[in-house]
Amino acid sequence: MFVWLERRLFPSLRAAAPWRFGWFLLPLLPLLVVCFSCAPSVEDGNSDDLLDGTATPIKAPAPLPIPSAHKDRIDAVLKHVRQRDLFPDHAFWTIFHGILGVGPDDAMILDPTTKKRIKAIDYIADGGDVNGLEFVPTPDGVEVVTRPGSITYQGHQDQFVAEMAEWDLPRDKKFMVDGKEYTFDDFIRQSRAHASLTTKSFQGLDPLELTWTIVIVSKYYGPDYRWTNNRGEKLSVADMANYELHQPIADSLVCGGTHRLFGLTWAYYLHRQAGGKKEGVWKQVADIIADYENRAQQYQNPDGSFSTRYLQGPGNEPDVQLRIATSGHILEWLAFAMTDEQLRQPWVEKAADALALMVLENSFNNLDAGSLYPATHGLELYRARLWGPPGSHKLPIPPPPKD
């Protein structure tokens, strides 16, 4: 692990000093675990593999000129990322993150043989061969196989389904699984059925993640929904919110808790949109949202980027992949959570500008999927909230409450 981190974080220092210096990273290990647990790593094979853990890079177009105007910079990033083709031999993890970044209408897979492009979501739905993609029919629907910590397979329960839900993938979207036709609704029903407040996850050691499940159930069944899961356990969306509130946020090993905040915010905003009040567990969620918005500003770096320790404390590490990952994940949540007025505050504008600048300054590099695509999704949301979505894109997210 130290050798891999050495190669990724300190390439120039390593070139200057050919000996191993893994000992140097020991004091930084807790920070590195928090910051890299959500980013791509080498799962199998040679540690010189690419950052998305696959045999094919997310190829970068030619270097781009950097516009001076704020909005133009945002648009330049979004256009640039859409020009980065995905390939059939990219891992499933990489491909569905690509769909998250630019949306199911624009994430394209390029067949290197035919030179034809096809929507990545259609390639997946039509049963295309993708390393790490396993859909398994069950009595409740269709399960997406999860391997915790993987950057080839889905690494977190319900992550793929939730990310497609965030782009409002239709329930009747057809998927071919083992030669039989299913719909996206079969995936949704499976997510609802296996949600649990008591079941342990990986090897029975950790609490089950409901970070993505709460997005799916609250969106497709409503924020006040109650049901019985496939274990006979009665639960509700509010129960899931309470459960998630008692899991780590700033200390989370999954992208610094930004995904958990996104899920809680999503369910809360749908609750308020449906006429629900800010009381009980929902008052706690509202308070958590406000607290972490303040933390983002408090720990912001002078250049506008967010802390490289996410929301845990100040951090200003120089590694660009880490900076894009942390600033991108935080902006992704803020661009969804904040009101239009809050998003126009100078410190938020400075953060979006810093993130766009980092991507543009590295537009000629191969950037890892776990950094690039959440950052792109954040800039997509930010752009749409302030100036409307680019082109024909929709903004299928619940709006913040007015109080």
Side-chain angles (χ1 to χ4, degrees):
M1 177 179 180
F2 286 134
V3 173
W4 179 81
L5 289 171
E6 168 191 329
R7 290 177 176 181
R8 299 308 185 205
L9 295 179
F10 304 101
S12 59
L13 182 55
R14 184 172 180 270
W19 59 85
R20 299 294 183 204
F21 60 102
W23 58 268
F24 177 75
L25 293 169
L26 283 172
L28 297 175
L29 186 56
L31 169 62
L32 294 171
V33 169
V34 170
C35 292
F36 277 87
S37 58
C38 195
S41 60
V42 176
E43 183 182 49
D44 297 302
N46 193 303
S47 59
D48 285 323
D49 288 345
L50 296 166
L51 286 177
D52 66 355
T54 68
T56 304
I58 304 168
K59 291 184 178 179
L64 298 174
I66 299 176
S68 57
H70 176 57
K71 179 175 175 291
D72 292 343
R73 283 189 180 182
I74 306 295
D75 286 342
V77 170
L78 299 181
K79 179 180 179 181
H80 164 72
V81 176
R82 282 177 170 78
Q83 294 173 344
R84 288 176 174 249
D85 288 313
L86 297 161
F87 290 85
D89 60 350
H90 274 138
F92 178 51
W93 189 96
T94 298
I95 291 173
F96 77 74
H97 274 72
I99 299 171
L100 171 72
V102 301
D105 288 337
D106 286 332
M108 308 297 286
I109 284 182
L110 174 65
D111 186 321
T113 303
T114 65
K115 305 301 181 184
K116 292 182 179 179
R117 288 176 171 82
I118 182 175
K119 291 182 181 180
I121 188 62
D122 291 341
Y123 183 83
I124 290 171
D126 291 342
D129 184 23
V130 177
N131 186 25
L133 187 157
E134 283 191 38
F135 295 156
V136 179
T138 75
D140 300 300
V142 179
E143 176 74 79
V144 182
V145 171
T146 301
R147 294 193 180 179
S150 174
I151 50 83
T152 302
Y153 289 74
Q154 172 178 261
H156 304 276
Q157 178 175 301
D158 294 330
Q159 188 177 20
F160 165 70
V161 179
E163 291 186 359
M164 299 307 99
E166 289 168 16
W167 279 98
D168 202 25
L169 193 69
R171 296 176 81 143
D172 60 359
K173 171 71 175 176
K174 292 179 172 57
F175 284 77
M176 292 299 297
V177 181
D178 294 342
K180 183 179 177 181
E181 188 175 272
Y182 293 84
T183 67
F184 188 55
D185 191 58
D186 290 302
F187 293 83
I188 295 167
R189 291 189 299 104
Q190 175 65 26
S191 297
R192 176 188 61 176
H194 68 195
S196 174
L197 307 178
T198 59
T199 302
K200 298 294 183 180
S201 59
F202 183 54
Q203 295 181 342
L205 299 176
D206 303 315
L208 192 69
E209 285 185 283
L210 297 178
T211 296
W212 286 270
T213 315
I214 196 171
V215 171
I216 299 163
V217 177
S218 62
K219 173 179 176 60
Y220 291 106
Y221 295 100
D224 299 321
Y225 187 68
R226 296 177 177 273
W227 74 104
T228 302
N229 69 11
N230 58 15
R231 301 170 182 85
E233 178 185 359
K234 296 183 183 298
L235 64 165
S236 67
V237 174
D239 290 335
M240 287 199 294
N242 185 63
Y243 176 94
E244 285 290 281
L245 283 172
H246 288 84
Q247 307 305 318
I249 295 182
D251 295 331
S252 173
L253 297 182
V254 184
C255 299
T258 54
H259 293 301
R260 180 156 285 133
L261 287 168
F262 199 100
L264 285 167
T265 305
W266 185 283
Y268 173 59
Y269 285 3
L270 284 175
H271 168 75
R272 295 301 306 278
Q273 189 178 39
K277 296 181 180 179
K278 187 168 68 174
E279 59 186 19
V281 67
W282 300 116
K283 172 65 163 60
Q284 296 178 54
V285 173
D287 291 344
I288 286 289
I289 293 169
D291 177 35
Y292 281 97
E293 287 175 349
N294 290 333
R295 291 194 193 198
Q297 182 179 13
Q298 179 184 353
Y299 302 143
Q300 187 176 26
N301 293 317
D303 69 348
S305 65
F306 288 120
S307 170
T308 50
R309 296 178 63 204
Y310 287 95
L311 299 164
Q312 191 176 46
N316 200 5
E317 294 297 320
D319 180 70
V320 68
Q321 298 277 16
L322 176 57
R323 296 177 76 84
I324 292 174
T326 50
S327 289
H329 277 88
I330 293 172
L331 183 69
E332 181 184 32
W333 171 61
L334 291 177
F336 166 47
M338 288 184 150
T339 64
D340 293 350
E341 292 73 23
Q342 288 174 315
L343 287 176
R344 290 187 174 92
Q345 294 175 101
W347 70 272
V348 182
E349 179 178 318
K350 189 175 182 181
D353 202 60
L355 178 60
L357 184 61
M358 283 189 284
V359 175
L360 291 173
E361 286 179 339
N362 291 276
S363 62
F364 56 90
N365 290 327
N366 294 326
L367 297 174
D368 70 71
S371 300
L372 180 65
Y373 290 125
T376 305
H377 190 218
L379 291 170
E380 283 269 5
L381 295 175
Y382 177 82
R383 198 263 191 219
R385 291 287 305 281
L386 293 188
W387 304 293
S392 60
H393 288 252
K394 298 179 181 178
L395 187 63
I397 60 173
K402 297 187 181 298
D403 58 356

